[in-house]
C-alpha cells in the first residue's frame, strides 16, 4: 500500500487545477505548471482536494511519484521554492546584470551565467545568492549548475556551496621528512 500516493493534496484558495487525460495543469498566483502523469495514474478532484488513484497494482511504483510531483506543483505555484548559495573566497563575488549573473570566481575571466526562464536569482552582499522559482526541479538544477562553476575545495573550503552544506575538510601536507 502506497502511503505517499494515498495522501490527499489540499488545494489552497486561488489555485485552479484541471485534470486532463494524461496531464494535470496547476495554476496559481506564482505561475502555471503542467505535469505529465504516468500511464495508469489519474487524479480526482473533490471539493478543495486532489486524490491520486491507480488503475492496478502494476502502477504501484509510480503512484507516490505522481502524487509528489503534483503536490510540489501546488506548493510551487502558491509559495514557490528557493535555494540559498554562499560564495566563499577572497575576491569571489557575484552580481546580477540583466538576464545574466556575472561571477568572479578566481579564474582569469568573469563567468556569465544566463538565468533560465521562470527562475529568479537575487544577490545579497555579493557573496550570497538566492535561487527561487515555482518549479522545484528547475530551482535545484540551477543551484547545482551554479555550484558546479566552482565547487568547494576540500583543502581551503573556497568555492560556491549551498547554505548549510557540510564539507569535509582535508588536512594539507604534513611536512617533508629529511633523511641525512
Amino acid at each position: 500500500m502506497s502511503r505517499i500516493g494515498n495522501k490527499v493534496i489540499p488545494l489552497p484558495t486561488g489555485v485552479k487545477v484541471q485534470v486532463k487525460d494524461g496531464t494535470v495543469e496547476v495554476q496559481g498566483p506564482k505561475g502555471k505548471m503542467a505535469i505529465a502523469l504516468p500511464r495508469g495514474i489519474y487524479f480526482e478532484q473533490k471539493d478543495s482536494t486532489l486524490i491520486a488513484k491507480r488503475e492496478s497494482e502494476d502502477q504501484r511504483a509510480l503512484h507516490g511519484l505522481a502524487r509528489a510531483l503534483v503536490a510540489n506543483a501546488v506548493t510551487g505555484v502558491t509559495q514557490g521554492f528557493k535555494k540559498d548559495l554562499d560564495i566563499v573566497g577572497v575576491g569571489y563575488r557575484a552580481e546580477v546584470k540583466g538576464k545574466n549573473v556575472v561571477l568572479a570566481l578566481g579564474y582569469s575571466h568573469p563567468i556569465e551565467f544566463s538565468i533560465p526562464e521562470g527562475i529568479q536569482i537575487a544577490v545579497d552582499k555579493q557573496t550570497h545568492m538566492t535561487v527561487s522559482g515555482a518549479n522545484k526541479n528547475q530551482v535545484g538544477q540551477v543551484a547545482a549548475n551554479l555550484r558546479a562553476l566552482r565547487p568547494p575545495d576540500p583543502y581551503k573550503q573556497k568555492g560556491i556551496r549551498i547554505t548549510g552544506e557540510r564539507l569535509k575538510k582535508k588536512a594539507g601536507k604534513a611536512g617533508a621528512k629529511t633523511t641525512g
Side-chain angles (χ1 to χ4, degrees):
M1 182 168 130
S2 173
R3 293 188 177 139
I4 294 174
N6 289 333
K7 286 177 78 176
V8 175
I9 302 171
L11 297 174
T13 56
V15 174
K16 295 176 186 158
V17 175
Q18 278 191 311
V19 181
K20 296 180 181 175
D21 45 285
T23 60
V24 174
E25 290 183 3
V26 183
Q27 188 171 2
K30 292 209 180 230
K32 183 179 180 181
M33 293 178 65
I35 296 92
L37 298 175
R39 191 171 51 237
I41 306 289
Y42 61 96
F43 279 82
E44 289 180 358
Q45 185 173 358
K46 291 183 182 174
D47 300 327
S48 62
T49 60
L50 268 180
I51 302 167
K53 303 270 185 171
R54 62 179 182 234
E55 290 175 357
S56 68
E57 284 296 308
D58 296 339
Q59 290 87 18
R60 202 172 124 190
L62 299 173
H63 187 198
L65 170 76
R67 187 253 174 223
L69 291 174
V70 173
N72 284 342
V74 170
T75 304
V77 297
T78 53
Q79 301 164 3
F81 293 99
K82 72 174 193 164
K83 288 259 187 191
D84 293 320
L85 296 145
D86 291 322
I87 304 171
V88 179
V90 177
Y92 289 16
R93 65 179 61 88
E95 65 176 316
V96 177
K97 286 187 179 176
K99 293 274 184 191
N100 292 328
V101 178
V102 180
L103 299 137
L105 299 173
Y107 297 119
S108 61
H109 59 285
I111 298 169
E112 286 196 18
F113 182 85
S114 62
I115 302 171
E117 197 68 35
I119 295 289
Q120 296 83 35
I121 298 179
V123 177
D124 307 328
K125 296 184 263 177
Q126 295 183 336
T127 59
H128 183 80
M129 290 187 286
T130 303
V131 180
S132 59
N135 190 336
K136 186 176 185 178
N137 295 344
Q138 192 178 20
V139 169
Q141 187 61 54
V142 169
N145 291 346
L146 282 166
R147 183 185 181 277
L149 294 174
R150 183 66 121 173
D153 176 36
Y155 297 101
K156 295 182 180 178
Q157 306 284 301
K158 292 169 32 172
I160 300 175
R161 66 178 82 161
I162 294 172
T163 302
E165 179 180 5
R166 297 194 61 200
L167 302 172
K168 282 191 176 181
K169 185 167 171 74
K170 290 186 177 179
K173 235 168 143 179
K177 288 186 180 181
T178 57
T179 57

